Amino acid sequence: MRKRDRDRAERIRLAGGPKPTLRARAVALAQEKGEVRTKDLTDIGVHRCYLARMVEEGLLVKVGYGRYRAAVDKAA
């Protein structure tokens, strides 16, 4: 492993770990608020083009025009 990679890993570790991904932030916001608008998601940095992908992956459920909800995890 190169020194700069070790240094970067150390900085991330000292900062409290890696930042949450945009997908994780979007799902967390949807779970927190219950139902979110496209504007709410774009305000936290999630671009509109990713919303359709997140719906296809099952992370979000499209409720109506510009409205999304977090997908409910199925109990095992």
Side-chain angles (χ1 to χ4, degrees), residues 28-46:
L29 181 67
Q31 287 174 343
E32 177 186 322
K33 293 181 86 174
E35 188 173 299
V36 291
R37 299 176 301 159
T38 303
K39 183 184 182 324
D40 299 331
L41 295 168
T42 55
D43 286 346
I44 65 168
V46 179

Side-chain angles (χ1 to χ4, degrees), residues 3-75:
K3 182 177 182 328
R4 71 177 180 193
D5 293 335
R6 285 193 309 268
D7 292 343
R8 180 177 181 271
E10 181 67 14
R11 281 193 312 273
I12 290 172
R13 187 185 66 77
L14 291 175
K19 293 181 184 176
T21 62
L22 287 177
R23 294 170 192 265
R25 288 169 43 194
V27 171
L29 181 67
Q31 287 174 343
E32 177 186 322
K33 293 181 86 174
E35 188 173 299
V36 291
R37 299 176 301 159
T38 303
K39 183 184 182 324
D40 299 331
L41 295 168
T42 55
D43 286 346
I44 65 168
V46 179
H47 294 278
R48 292 182 300 164
C49 61
Y50 295 122
L51 296 178
R53 292 180 191 170
M54 292 174 67
V55 169
E56 288 176 3
E57 292 176 8
L59 297 173
L60 294 176
V61 176
K62 188 168 185 172
V63 179
Y65 182 78
R67 303 225 179 243
Y68 297 89
R69 239 183 229 144
V72 178
D73 293 335
K74 295 181 181 177

